[in-house]
Amino acid sequence: MTFPQKGDTAPDFTLPTDGGADFSLAEHRGKKVVLFFYPKDDTSGCTAEALAFTALKDEFSGHGAVVVGISPDNVKKHAKFRDKHELDVILASDEEKKVLETYGVWVEKSMYGRKYMGVQRSTVLVGEDGTVLESWWKVKVPGHAEAVLAAVESA
């Protein structure tokens, strides 16, 4: 599937989380949901991104938004990542990569001439009715969480 754009209906999903529960997009209708897709727990860029969203969690919550990070790492690894960095966002595990594929973020990448499959760092802001309000592709971490918060505030 292709990466969701503004106005698209966000594909529903349910994934296990670091807290031992499941996160279901459908169960969060009536709230804005920030889905940030990231490659791997405990790498420098992914840690910086998760910390930036954690730092702004109260502001997101104040505007009725829930923040969820999604990667192919398992829930045990997510819990270790959360505890190590005192993260305060939901971390959902997509080991089978079905949601990553559905959202179009499981893509062929290239590093030093080597091709491999991986997560394209990206974010989707889902509105209360399940429609995509905004999406960001090939995210650069510095300033990104702030940009997403600005979109939440203006939605």
Side-chain angles (χ1 to χ4, degrees), residues 62-117:
H63 289 284
V66 176
V67 179
V68 182
I70 301 173
S71 88
D73 291 317
N74 64 44
V75 292
K76 189 175 179 183
K77 196 165 182 208
H78 277 345
K80 187 176 176 183
F81 180 46
R82 176 199 65 217
D83 293 346
K84 179 178 179 182
H85 298 285
E86 299 179 358
L87 301 175
D88 194 17
V89 294
I90 298 165
L91 299 176
S93 173
D94 187 14
E95 288 185 89
E96 295 177 9
K97 302 165 189 77
K98 289 182 179 174
V99 174
L100 298 171
E101 288 173 352
T102 298
Y103 274 79
V105 300
W106 185 251
V107 298
E108 184 175 80
K109 299 172 95 176
S110 179
M111 184 183 292
Y112 306 118
R114 184 179 69 88
K115 293 190 183 298
Y116 63 98
M117 295 300 290

